[in-house]
Amino acid sequence: MEAEIRAELESSGFSIGGAGPEDAAQILSTLLTYCIIYKMSPADLVSNWEVYYLNRQLDGLKLEKSYLDGFLSHLQNEVKDRIIEEEANLHVYSSNDVEMLLNNSHADEAEFLNTPGSKQEKPHGESSNSELTPLTSDRPTLSRVAKTNGDPITPFATRVNKFTQQYVLNADNAASVPSKHEAETTEDEVIRRVEPSQRCSLQVQRSQPEPGCRFMYDRMEDRFNYLEDRIRRSATLFSAPGFCGEPADATLASEEKMFAVGMVTCDGEGRLNEKSILLQGSVEHSRGERVRLDLKDLDHFSLFPGQVVGIEGHNPSGHCFVVSKLIDSIPVSVDAQLPSAKKQAIDNESHQNSDAGTLSRTLSSVIAAGPYTTTDNLLFEPLQELLSYACRKQPQLLILMGPFIDSDHPDIKKGTVDQTFHDIFHFEIMRKIQDFTQYLGNTVRVILIPSVRDAHHDFVFPQPAFDLNLPEDITHQICCVANPSLFSCNEIHFGCCTVDILKQLSAEEISRKSPGAVGKPSDRIGRLATHVLKQQSYYPLYPPAAGVPLDFSLAKDALEISLPPDVLLLPSDLAPFVKVLSLHEGSDAQKQFMCMNPGRLAKGIGGGTFVELNYNEDTEKTNASIIRI
C-alpha cells in the first residue's frame, strides 16, 4: 500500500521529501497510518493532500516531514465536517465555546438576547444596540424568520469575532494581513466612514441561455461541433498575421519544423501525466486524428485535458511529435469586442443620454457566494448578517452568487423540510433581499447568479437566470443573470462563473517548473485562474468533471470569453483569495485583471468569508478585502 501511495503522489506531480531513504520511508509509513485510521484509499489520501497543498499555498512539490502535522489536522477537520453533515443536530465544541463559558458568560447572555431572531420581535419603539439598529424603524426589517426567545441559540450566533479582515489588497497591489488592532472596527466608526453613494449603471453584455430554455437534449453531434469549433476558432486566431502562421498536420511524419494547433487529451482513463499526453487536431487540418506529444525539450509547461494549445516542433516518425515550443494562450482577435449590451440598466434613468466617456470607473461593492445558511438549520443567519453589514457600508452593488438553496445541505438531502424549495427561496431569501433594497432605496443594485447546486433551479450548465416575478417598484434594483455571465457596472466589466472550475482544474492540471524557478514560491492558484482567460472559455476542461451537467447544445455562445473582463469572479471551495493577474509575463497594468474567490459565506455550522471591493479606475488604485463573517 505504501507503493500505491507513492505512485499516486508521483502521478499527481508530487514526490516524497526528506534527507534520505529513511525519512522517505518514515513519511510513507505515516501516510499509511493515516489511510488506515481514516479508512481512505491512497487516491483519496492524495486528493486530500492536493486540497491541503493548495489551501496552504505550500512551496515546491515535495511532501516534507514538517507538513505531516498540518496535514493530519486537515484530515481531522474533514472527518469532523463529514460527521456534522451526517448529524445535523450535532455540535462539536471548540476552544471558542470554552472561552465563552468561562470568561464571557454574562456578556454573551446579553448578546444571546440580541440575536437576529429575537431582535425582530421587539416593537419598533424599543431601542436596541444590535447590528440591525438602522432597520428598527418603520422601514422594512431584514428578516421575517420566526424565532422565539425559547429557541436554542445556534453556534453561528455565538461566534465572537465578527467581520474581521483576513486579507487586504491595497491600492498599490500590496497584499497584507491586517493586525488585530486594524481589523477591529466598531460599528460607529464604520457608519462615520460611509459616504452617500451614487446609483451605478448596469449593463448585461451576456446572459445565456434564456430562462425556460430546453436542456438535456444535446446530441453527440453537439459535443463534436463544440469541440471542433473551439479548435478551428483557435487555429484561425493563431494563423492571423503577426502570430504563428498557418497550422499544419501534426500527425504527418516530417523532419522539418512545423506549427500545429489542437486540444490536449489523455490516452486513457485516469489522470493526465507526461507519458499520456495526446494532441487532437481539427477535422480540417488533421482529420481529427491524435498524436502523442514528447515534452522532454520544454523547460516548463502547464497542461490539462481540454486545453487548446499551439505547438512547434517536428514529428520524425509520424507517431510522436517532439515539442520545442508550446503556446497555451489563445491570441485575442484584433476585432474582438465585448458583446453589445443586451439590456440597459434595467430602468429608464440609465446613462443612455449621457456621454459614456464621462462615466467614472469607480464602484463600491460587496461580493458573496453561497451557501447562505449553516448546515445545522435553514435560518439563513449568515445572509442576514451580510445584509446588515451591507446596510451599514451602503455599497453601490451587491453580488450574490449561488448556491442559495444548497442541494448539499443535510436537511435538503434528507428531505426533512416542510416547504418546497421554491418557497424557501422566495420567503427566506428573496424577502430578505427585497427588504434590504427597499431600506437602502435606489442607491443600491443587487445581482443574483445561480449555481448548479441550487435545488430549486434548473440543473444544467450553462444555466439560465432565475425567472422572478418581482414587484414593479424594485425590478430596477434586483437583476438576475445566467451562470456564467458578463455584465458591467460603471463601465467596469465583471465575468462570473459559479461552477468550481478552479478546484476541478487543480485536480487535472500537470505542470513543470523551469530550472530557474525551482525552489521559488509559485502561485498555482493564479496560474489556474489565468487558464480560464487564456483559453477564452469559462469552462475549458474536457471531459467535464463528475457532477457538472454540461449541455453542449447551449455551451458554444454562453461559455465564450471574447475579451478579458476587469474583474473575474470564480467562487470555489478552495481558500478565498483576491489577486491581480496578467495573461502574459511582463504585461503592463492595462492588461491586468482582478480575479477573486470570495469563499463560502457559510462553512459547516460556522461563518465563512466574503469580499468587499472598492474599484477605482484600474487595478493599481483598487482596494479589496476578504472579510470573515
Side-chain angles (χ1 to χ4, degrees), residues 175-207:
S176 64
V177 178
S179 65
K180 184 176 181 181
H181 176 72
E182 292 172 337
E184 292 179 350
T185 306
T186 66
E187 182 177 336
D188 291 338
E189 290 173 344
V190 172
I191 293 175
R192 278 200 298 269
R193 288 206 303 263
V194 172
E195 297 179 359
S197 59
Q198 282 188 327
R199 181 180 178 81
C200 66
S201 66
L202 174 61
Q203 293 177 310
V204 179
Q205 273 83 15
R206 174 167 288 161
S207 180

Side-chain angles (χ1 to χ4, degrees), residues 313-331:
H314 62 285
N315 187 353
S317 65
H319 302 291
C320 184
F321 192 99
V322 182
V323 182
S324 59
K325 182 180 179 181
L326 186 145
I327 307 172
D328 62 357
S329 180
I330 300 173

Side-chain angles (χ1 to χ4, degrees), residues 300-301 328-329 512 514 517 527 530 534 581-589 591-592:
H300 64 281
F301 61 80
D328 62 357
S329 180
R512 177 192 295 169
S514 60
R527 186 173 71 241
T530 55
K534 285 182 177 181
L581 302 172
S582 298
L583 292 182
H584 307 284
E585 294 182 3
S587 294
D588 55 49
K591 296 184 180 179
Q592 290 180 330

